[in-house]
Amino acid sequence: MITRAEGAYLGAVRAFQNPMLDLLHKRHAPLVVSLLSLVFTAERPQVPVADAHTEVGDALDQLRAAGHGDDLPTGSARDLCRQWADAGWLARQVLDDDVEVYSLSAHAVGALEVAGRAGGTRARVSQSRVRTLLDAVERLAEDADPDALMRMARLDAEIARLRGELDRIQKTGEVEQTDEETLLEEAENVLHLVRELPADFARVAESIKVMQRDVVQALRQDERPTGEVLREYLERGEHVMDSTPEGRAFAGALRLIGDPQRLDHLATQLSTVLRHRFTRRLPAQQRAELRDIGRRIEQGLDQVFTAQREASFVITAQVRNHDPLRDRQVDELLRDVMTGLQAWVPGARRGQAVDPLRRLPVAEVEHLRQTAGDVRPAEPPSPLAAWDDDDSDASAAEALAWGGPHYADLGSHLVAFAEGAGTVDVGAAFNAAPEPLRRPVDLLGLLEIAHQRGMTETDEVAYVDAVRPDGTRRRFAFGGVTTMTKDEDDD
């Protein structure tokens, strides 16, 4: 049986295993808190990895130059950032433009807030804080009590109080002034509440990312049909905000702060507060925090929505591009191969024969035949007609007429057509040749001769009429060229 002391001790041990308390408990916690607060700000929630390494390295050099080298950890700035990422204080991700960035995790944001509150103005038990607590308890009781009569009685009392205040203002024309000390207390209470928001937003975003990893892992290990997996996980991908407790709580808060008109009204109210003379007694940092409340809320909303979009995209891409059954077969095959190698390599010798892999992946068949085959036996093709060369009526002259180009006669015709000129137009020479040299195959032979002797394009289109041995004609068009009448080697 666990005693109260042991239970309390075990609970504290579990609490200090949280990365936030682990950060604050480390020996170099002041250095980690200071460097993270310098590199990451409300205006700069994401920092490229290379820039973060450079800035952390510059800060370490400045601290060593100031004489704090003995209190600093060893290792480079890159090593420190990697250690912080492994500890869960920094998160690495790749943006759409393929730039890798660091961002603070929810644990790191919470640790910075705790350190900031401990080192800054301590929250006091004030009228504003007590009123906030009482208002929260009253609203909780109203929401939990289903008694309609009690709700009506409370609304009547509230209406009477507001009507009395309205009548007093209408009669006197004066609004009851609040002293500056009370206003300062209320401003500090507002800042105390606002400092909790970044960590809350970060926790919501990280809970969505954890859900995304769980879904992808379950999807890869799923043995159900792909259609069923597709329907379930696409639905979860579209409703990731309802899949975690933090997401459901954020969805409820979003109904209050997600309205653009409400955010505009908040900005107007903050401007009214900052114009009041009591804000001059606030430090410059607190005035800046009051001014940036709306922007910090918008940044938190954007952080959560970005995590939601990424989770939906990753889950949808996983379902569309991966088949769970096929991935499982590949994983099993690779494990079998690795097991075989681990068993074979230690005792293997050079030149030793390797047993072949007995198991192969299952073949994927796109479509199986659905109709029955023809039961009739296959019929052989028709026999070829007998051919007797002795019965041919074709003469040698006719066979020669249908043969290849007459290269010698074509070369002589080019020289005769040129009449002593050094070059000749191929198209004109072909049209001037006798019909036995104007066959289509002779045109190819003439172009071949021109290529061998060197031909030049004329940027014109040549048209020629070819005549087959049977008297049929065929018109051809080609890019006009000229060639030399003799080979260069003949000179």
Side-chain angles (χ1 to χ4, degrees):
M1 184 177 180
I2 300 178
T3 62
R4 293 181 59 189
E6 185 180 3
Y9 173 74
L10 294 178
V13 170
R14 288 192 299 270
F16 274 89
Q17 291 176 351
N18 184 286
M20 183 184 76
L21 293 182
D22 184 55
L23 188 156
L24 299 175
H25 187 64
K26 292 292 185 181
R27 173 189 172 189
H28 301 294
L31 174 69
V32 178
V33 170
S34 60
L35 292 182
L36 292 182
S37 61
L38 285 176
V39 176
F40 300 93
T41 62
E43 297 80 12
R44 197 186 182 200
Q46 293 179 334
V47 180
V49 171
D51 295 347
H53 294 167
T54 302
E55 295 177 17
V56 171
D58 294 342
L60 292 174
D61 294 339
Q62 295 175 11
L63 292 175
R64 292 190 180 98
H68 301 286
D70 296 337
D71 299 330
L72 301 180
T74 59
S76 63
R78 177 176 298 179
D79 296 335
L80 289 180
C81 291
R82 289 179 177 176
Q83 293 175 9
W84 298 344
D86 294 338
W89 305 333
L90 288 180
R92 298 180 67 161
Q93 60 178 340
V94 179
L95 302 181
D96 295 337
D97 52 357
D98 294 335
V99 177
E100 191 174 15
V101 297
Y102 282 127
S103 60
L104 292 178
S105 67
H107 306 294
V109 174
L112 295 183
E113 294 296 339
V114 171
R117 290 197 300 270
T121 304
R122 187 176 300 274
R124 298 170 292 179
V125 179
S126 61
Q127 178 183 356
S128 177
R129 292 178 61 80
V130 173
R131 185 170 66 245
T132 300
L133 174 62
L134 295 178
D135 290 343
V137 173
E138 182 179 0
R139 182 174 295 276
L140 175 61
E142 291 179 357
D143 294 339
D145 189 1
D147 192 343
L149 295 178
M150 292 296 297
R151 177 68 61 88
M152 293 171 59
R154 284 193 294 268
L155 292 176
D156 289 338
E158 181 68 15
I159 292 173
R161 185 185 65 80
L162 295 176
R163 190 178 300 279
E165 183 178 358
L166 178 61
D167 294 340
R168 182 185 59 78
I169 295 176
Q170 289 176 344
K171 292 179 180 178
T172 62
E174 297 179 357
V175 178
E176 183 178 353
Q177 297 291 328
T178 306
D179 59 278
E180 292 190 357
E181 289 297 330
T182 302
L183 294 176
L184 288 173
E185 292 176 358
E186 293 179 354
E188 291 176 359
N189 183 36
V190 170
L191 293 176
H192 172 75
L193 296 175
V194 169
R195 293 190 184 104
E196 302 290 338
L197 289 179
D200 293 338
F201 284 125
R203 277 191 289 270
V204 174
E206 290 194 356
S207 68
I208 295 176
K209 293 180 181 178
V210 170
M211 186 275 303
Q212 166 197 323
R213 290 193 293 267
D214 294 341
V215 168
V216 173
Q217 182 178 3
L219 181 60
R220 290 175 177 173
Q221 298 176 353
D222 208 327
E223 297 182 355
R224 292 173 294 169
T226 304
E228 181 180 348
V229 176
L230 178 65
R231 287 190 297 271
E232 177 178 345
Y233 288 111
L234 279 182
E235 182 178 356
R236 292 189 64 180
E238 294 175 358
H239 302 88
V240 291
M241 196 61 70
D242 301 331
S243 302
T244 61
E246 293 84 358
R248 288 190 292 271
F250 172 79
L254 182 62
R255 288 190 288 269
L256 295 177
I257 61 177
D259 186 3
Q261 295 182 354
R262 190 179 293 272
L263 290 178
D264 293 341
H265 185 56
L266 174 63
T268 303
Q269 291 175 325
L270 291 174
S271 300
T272 302
V273 172
L274 292 171
R275 287 197 300 268
H276 200 281
R277 61 177 179 273
F278 86 92
T279 55
R280 301 173 186 173
R281 299 174 55 182
L282 291 173
Q285 180 181 358
Q286 292 185 354
R287 290 198 301 271
E289 290 180 2
L290 279 175
R291 187 179 301 107
D292 294 340
I293 287 177
R295 186 169 55 84
R296 297 182 71 175
I297 292 176
E298 292 177 353
Q299 288 178 347
L301 293 175
D302 184 68
Q303 180 182 5
V304 175
F305 292 150
T306 300
Q308 182 183 10
R309 288 193 298 269
E310 291 178 354
S312 300
F313 175 78
V314 170
I315 294 173
T316 303
Q318 176 67 28
V319 173
R320 288 178 176 173
N321 301 327
H322 296 273
D323 186 350
L325 295 179
R326 182 184 60 190
D327 293 346
R328 190 175 185 84
Q329 292 171 356
V330 173
D331 291 341
E332 291 177 355
L333 177 61
L334 292 178
R335 280 195 295 268
D336 291 344
V337 173
M338 295 302 297
T339 302
L341 286 175
Q342 292 173 359
W344 177 78
V345 169
R349 299 184 305 274
R350 184 176 181 180
Q352 181 178 351
V354 180
D355 294 334
L357 185 64
R358 301 297 181 184
R359 182 180 177 184
L360 296 175
V362 179
E364 295 184 359
V365 180
E366 294 292 340
H367 182 71
L368 293 176
R369 185 166 181 158
Q370 298 177 353
T371 59
D374 192 351
V375 296
R376 294 175 299 177
E379 297 180 359
S382 302
L384 296 176
W387 181 267
D388 188 0
D389 293 340
D390 296 337
D391 296 338
S392 176
D393 296 334
S395 63
E398 291 176 346
L400 183 62
W402 288 94
H406 302 304
Y407 292 107
D409 296 339
L410 290 172
S412 301
H413 172 69
L414 280 177
V415 174
F417 181 76
E419 296 181 351
T423 60
V424 60
D425 184 88
V426 175
F430 182 81
N431 284 328
E435 288 191 1
L437 295 181
R438 285 169 55 194
R439 301 174 303 161
V441 69
D442 289 324
L443 176 60
L444 295 178
L446 191 60
L447 290 173
E448 186 178 353
I449 294 174
H451 176 71
Q452 293 175 352
R453 295 182 179 182
M455 60 183 184
T456 304
E457 297 182 0
T458 61
D459 295 333
E460 296 181 358
V461 179
Y463 297 94
V464 297
D465 294 320
V467 183
R468 295 189 179 93
D470 60 359
T472 59
R473 295 178 175 271
R474 179 75 180 274
R475 189 179 181 91
F476 294 96
F478 60 94
V481 293
T482 60
T483 184
M484 292 182 292
T485 56
K486 295 183 179 180
D487 292 335
E488 295 180 354
D489 296 338
D490 296 340
D491 296 336

